[in-house]
Amino acid sequence: MTAPNPLLVPWTTPFGIPPFDRILPEHFPPAFEAAMAEHLEEIAAIGADPAEPGFANTIEALQRSGRALSRVVNLFSNLVFSFGGTALEELDREMSPRLAQHGMRVSLDPAVFARVDALHRRRGGLGLAEDQLRVLDRTHLGFIRSGAALDAVAKARMTEISERLALLHTRFGQNVVHDEKVWSMALEAADLDGLPGFLREGMEGAATERSIPGFVVTLSRSLIEPFLTFSNRRDLRERAYKAWIARGTHPGEHDNRPLISEILALRAERAKLLGYPSFAVFRLADTMAGTPEAAEELLSQVWEPAKRKAAAERDRLLAVARQEGFEGPLEPWDWRYLAEKVRRADYDLDEAELKPYFLLENIQQAAFDTATRLFGLTFTPIPDAPVYHPDVRAYEVRDATGHVGIFLADPYARADKRSGAWMSSYRDQENLDAPVSPIIVNNNNFAKSEPTLLSFDDAETLFHEFGHALHGLLSQVRYPSQSGTSVRRDFVELPSQIYEHWLAVPETLRRYALHHETGEPVPDAVIARLLAARGFNQGFATVEYTAAALIDMALHSHPAPGTIEIDRFEAEFLQRIGMPREIGIRHRPAHFQHLFAGSGYAAGYYSYLWAEVLDADGYDAFTEAQDPFDPATAARLRALLSAGDTRDPMELYVAFRGRKPSIAPLLRSRELLPAQGENPISNNRSRP
């Protein structure tokens, strides 16, 4: 007897975790077909309801619809990114336009929109609770922004655009993964000069995974960045750096450059169909910033100070380089290498000295225990939980009231895994008909070795993604569309970025930064030097990020994006803004997955800086309380995290902080300007 498709039957696994051990790629096509058909039946029933439109029979019915499809889509999309492989990638290319078409059929359904629109027009007299009024407003806005109010011809074109963009996004992301998978640089013992033991072990592990003898550098950030930092071989640093920035630019079937102008043109066309002059204006209209000008003003407030600081950093790097006989100009593949030398000279701080204290398991436990102290959460391993890869660890999350959710940790880089670090969900929290707890996953791409040692930046990344995870885990909302991280893009990074602060708390470092061989805590003198160096190289970091945010806004504001030749545009743009030649943009367009492997951060990459204004100002609340674990402040932060999209983000922030945020703490933390004066950000329509 053939076993039933596990995607079409109830899951009896612990806590409803997907039965990964029974799921095969061939299970997805019939599951997608059944789930999409069920969803369309649900939508048709809502539209055909003879009763007068009401909140329950329209909005709540929409919230209940599509649950089977959401279950399959969440599972599939997570496996494509985290597990990968040819079969899933082929299916992703096949399904992405079909799912986009399905989404547009729902979003453009005239009968359903008529009911939502009628309900929205009389919303003031419905006696709705605050979360209900917001879900009605947001549902109506979602239909409008999808094109439901357009004529038939425009609706048809919106659907065509959506389908084509879905395919282009998928191809773009898969091309980057391809380039990262196929490139490696094999090294012999003579090529390892300057490389610390932890990096050699990681490179040896990567070589083993790829069945290559010896050591290899791959395009995983966890290998290439430390290689650029420590290798004494300038020729190899140049080769590795040029391969890193060339992802997506190789002529042929995996070249992303032809895709970019088409993606930009389609986005601009969609925005104009909806009455907006550009995609940037369309996207920013539904953010805290409100307008591209507001986002650009924030970026401009840091751009020139960042360049000044980077110029001073460059001069210091060159001074050290000249002492060692270095001639000629500084190149981008030199910066990290020389910066490490300067950090050692000026702060007596060596990353190779620090790294033995940052054992992956200890840092993960530090993230857990910080959440215990702040929010009363506990994390218990589930040894028998089904997982999609042996690297993955599952934990039950509880608090004083009982079960909260499930957390999955997937820390290591793999050839088929998407690069970078991210949080996602297999199931979102809701409480519409019955309590539904979340299943949240964190993906990182640390180089696997025994033991796995992290840089301080790696450890911050782990805390960052865990902050996102807490946003999903602590969600306490009624409606699924308001759950957890379903908030405006320039607010969603606040929970992740504010959580990074607790890694640098001296108490955290003393307890969890333990030498992996001796168990001794990192010395207080090293902690002091580490904290003193927090502003070091911030000119470089701010320039490489801000340039990427500025080019994002320029691309999505272009009056004729279909005419863009991306290599020329990139070069001319960087020259126009005065990009220092020694610093590479953080993401070149051809591998800028935030923008082009999906639309989530399109015209929204600025949001990391916007959220940093919030997180720097927000963490000051704990500083003012003179306790990084102050219970009252932590309770207000938990209230913010649990609220999801039930209230306007600025209202949530003001409820937490007691006032609107100031940019001063951000400038102070990056050592871009002296702390002076206040520059409050007001509501979501005004400029920072």
Side-chain angles (χ1 to χ4, degrees):
M1 177 181 291
T2 303
N5 186 331
L7 302 181
L8 296 174
V9 297
W11 294 342
T12 58
T13 48
F15 308 104
I17 297 172
F20 295 111
D21 52 334
R22 296 191 288 117
I23 295 170
L24 300 173
E26 55 263 34
H27 290 139
F28 282 103
F32 276 123
E33 295 296 338
M36 286 191 289
E38 177 182 309
H39 192 199
L40 291 178
E41 289 175 3
E42 293 166 339
I43 294 300
I46 295 170
D49 190 337
E52 181 184 13
F55 188 83
N57 66 17
T58 303
I59 301 302
E60 289 189 337
L62 283 169
Q63 292 288 308
R64 291 186 178 94
S65 70
R67 280 175 167 158
L69 182 58
S70 293
R71 183 175 83 154
V72 178
V73 167
N74 288 344
L75 175 61
F76 177 74
S77 60
N78 275 295
L79 289 180
V80 167
F81 289 149
S82 301
F83 190 73
T86 302
L88 289 175
E89 290 177 358
E90 290 177 353
L91 187 56
D92 193 23
R93 289 193 294 271
E94 176 189 340
M95 289 306 305
S96 59
R98 292 194 58 202
L99 289 168
Q101 181 188 58
H102 174 84
M104 293 303 289
R105 285 186 67 181
V106 173
S107 298
L108 300 180
D109 186 285
V112 174
F113 175 62
R115 294 177 68 86
V116 172
D117 193 46
L119 201 59
H120 189 256
R121 285 198 301 271
R122 53 188 181 88
R123 62 192 179 279
L126 297 175
L128 299 176
E130 183 178 26
D131 65 331
Q132 293 177 317
L133 182 59
R134 184 162 178 82
V135 80
L136 171 57
D137 285 339
R138 301 295 293 168
T139 300
H140 185 261
L141 182 62
F143 274 97
I144 294 294
R145 288 173 67 86
S146 294
L150 299 177
D151 62 33
V153 173
K155 286 181 181 179
R157 182 56 185 156
M158 289 286 285
T159 299
E160 292 173 355
I161 290 171
S162 182
E163 292 176 30
R164 181 61 180 165
L165 281 173
L167 180 59
L168 292 171
H169 294 159
T170 300
R171 285 179 56 192
F172 187 100
Q174 290 186 358
N175 287 344
V176 177
V177 171
H178 169 270
D179 284 0
E180 292 175 347
K181 187 190 304 186
V182 300
W183 187 90
S184 63
M185 182 170 67
L187 302 179
E188 299 178 355
D191 302 323
L192 306 181
D193 187 29
L195 304 185
F198 73 83
L199 180 54
R200 296 184 185 204
E201 291 174 9
M203 291 164 52
E204 190 172 26
T208 299
E209 183 186 7
R210 294 175 181 240
S211 300
I212 298 173
F215 307 85
V216 299
V217 179
T218 72
L219 296 182
S220 167
R221 191 177 290 273
S222 62
L223 286 181
I224 197 163
E225 284 198 341
F227 182 80
L228 293 170
T229 300
F230 293 109
S231 176
N232 290 332
R233 290 281 301 275
R234 191 175 189 233
D235 59 328
L236 297 180
R237 295 200 313 268
E238 178 180 2
R239 181 179 165 193
Y241 180 82
K242 287 182 175 179
W244 173 244
I245 66 169
R247 290 169 296 153
T249 66
H250 304 291
E253 62 177 317
H254 299 291
D255 190 349
N256 273 336
R257 290 170 296 182
L259 308 185
I260 292 174
S261 60
E262 185 178 0
I263 290 172
L264 292 170
L266 289 171
R267 288 174 177 170
E269 183 183 356
R270 181 168 63 182
K272 288 176 181 176
L273 284 170
L274 294 169
Y276 294 89
S278 70
F279 181 81
V281 174
F282 164 73
R283 172 49 59 88
L284 273 291
D286 190 34
T287 63
M288 292 183 76
T291 65
E293 291 79 11
E296 288 169 346
E297 184 171 336
L298 172 63
L299 295 171
S300 71
Q301 288 186 64
V302 301
W303 179 242
E304 292 301 329
K307 285 199 296 181
R308 288 195 296 271
K309 184 172 176 61
E313 292 169 354
R314 176 204 60 212
D315 292 345
R316 180 71 182 109
L317 300 188
L318 279 172
V320 169
R322 299 289 186 247
Q323 291 173 0
E324 299 186 358
F326 178 89
E327 298 294 338
L330 195 67
E331 299 291 349
W333 49 88
D334 298 319
W335 191 290
R336 289 175 177 83
Y337 175 74
L338 292 172
E340 181 63 17
K341 288 181 175 291
V342 170
R343 189 164 70 148
R344 294 180 200 174
D346 292 0
Y347 296 95
D348 191 21
L349 201 63
D350 181 349
E351 184 174 319
E353 174 192 11
L354 277 176
K355 203 153 186 176
Y357 292 96
F358 287 87
L359 184 67
L360 169 61
E361 292 81 0
N362 289 350
I363 301 306
Q364 184 67 73
Q365 192 61 49
F368 287 161
D369 291 349
T370 298
T372 301
R373 294 188 64 182
L374 287 171
F375 309 123
L377 301 178
T378 61
F379 299 81
T380 304
I382 311 173
D384 59 342
V387 291
Y388 56 86
H389 191 279
D391 289 345
V392 180
R393 297 290 178 266
Y395 302 85
E396 184 193 6
V397 186
R398 298 179 66 86
D399 66 7
T401 67
H403 178 77
V404 171
I406 298 297
F407 174 70
L408 304 176
D410 185 354
Y412 298 117
R414 296 185 292 272
D416 284 319
K417 184 179 179 182
R418 192 183 78 171
S419 61
W422 67 96
M423 165 269 184
S424 189
S425 63
Y426 285 92
R427 184 176 69 209
D428 293 325
Q429 180 272 331
E430 61 161 292
N431 197 21
L432 178 52
D433 297 314
V436 175
S437 62
I439 300 175
I440 303 299
V441 61
N442 270 176
N443 276 276
N444 284 288
N445 269 279
F446 304 134
K448 190 174 185 179
S449 59
E450 187 54 48
T452 299
L453 303 177
L454 307 182
S455 67
F456 189 79
D457 285 347
D458 289 337
E460 277 194 330
T461 297
L462 187 149
F463 265 64
H464 176 102
E465 298 305 333
F466 193 68
H468 280 309
L470 291 173
H471 198 186
L473 287 165
L474 290 172
S475 176
Q476 285 295 315
V477 302
R478 181 171 14 180
Y479 299 106
S481 69
Q482 296 179 323
S483 184
T485 57
S486 300
V487 296
R488 288 173 175 169
R489 179 61 65 188
D490 51 6
F491 185 74
V492 77
E493 294 298 334
L494 167 61
S496 57
Q497 292 180 192
I498 197 170
Y499 205 71
E500 294 177 28
H501 290 270
W502 277 274
L503 173 64
V505 171
E507 184 179 347
T508 301
L509 294 171
R510 293 188 187 103
R511 184 173 178 184
Y512 299 98
L514 307 177
H515 197 283
H516 72 97
E517 292 178 338
T518 68
E520 291 296 314
V522 61
D524 284 349
V526 175
I527 293 176
R529 298 199 304 271
L530 174 66
L531 298 181
R534 294 301 301 281
F536 172 71
N537 215 34
Q538 281 299 304
F540 167 86
T542 307
V543 163
E544 67 161 5
Y545 161 77
T546 306
L550 287 168
I551 201 171
D552 167 32
M553 204 63 67
L555 287 168
H556 287 101
S557 300
H558 196 282
T563 66
I564 289 176
E565 194 282 301
I566 194 60
D567 286 342
R568 172 186 283 185
F569 182 93
E570 177 187 359
E572 292 177 351
F573 177 81
L574 294 179
Q575 182 179 25
R576 186 164 69 250
I577 65 174
M579 182 73 175
R581 65 173 302 279
E582 309 89 354
I583 300 176
I585 187 171
R586 183 165 181 80
H587 302 288
R588 293 190 65 204
H591 57 252
F592 205 162
Q593 296 192 78
H594 287 78
L595 305 192
F596 300 118
S599 61
Y601 283 90
Y605 194 64
Y606 78 92
S607 61
Y608 287 97
L609 190 65
W610 185 280
E612 192 175 342
V613 172
L614 303 178
D615 91 67
D617 183 81
Y619 187 75
D620 269 8
F622 289 91
T623 303
E624 292 160 9
Q626 300 182 330
D627 179 2
F629 299 96
D630 177 63
T633 310
R636 295 198 305 274
L637 180 58
R638 177 166 183 164
L640 180 151
L641 296 174
S642 68
D645 192 35
T646 57
R647 295 174 63 189
D648 179 81
M650 187 59 76
E651 291 179 11
L652 290 174
Y653 185 84
V654 171
F656 159 64
R657 191 66 172 96
R659 58 165 174 75
K660 292 170 183 174
S662 164
I663 196 174
L666 176 145
L667 298 175
R668 186 171 67 246
S669 68
R670 287 185 175 248
E671 297 185 2
L672 298 179
L673 287 176
Q676 59 181 354
E678 292 293 304
N679 187 4
I681 298 176
S682 59
N683 62 39
N684 63 331
R685 289 289 176 182
S686 64
R687 300 181 179 187

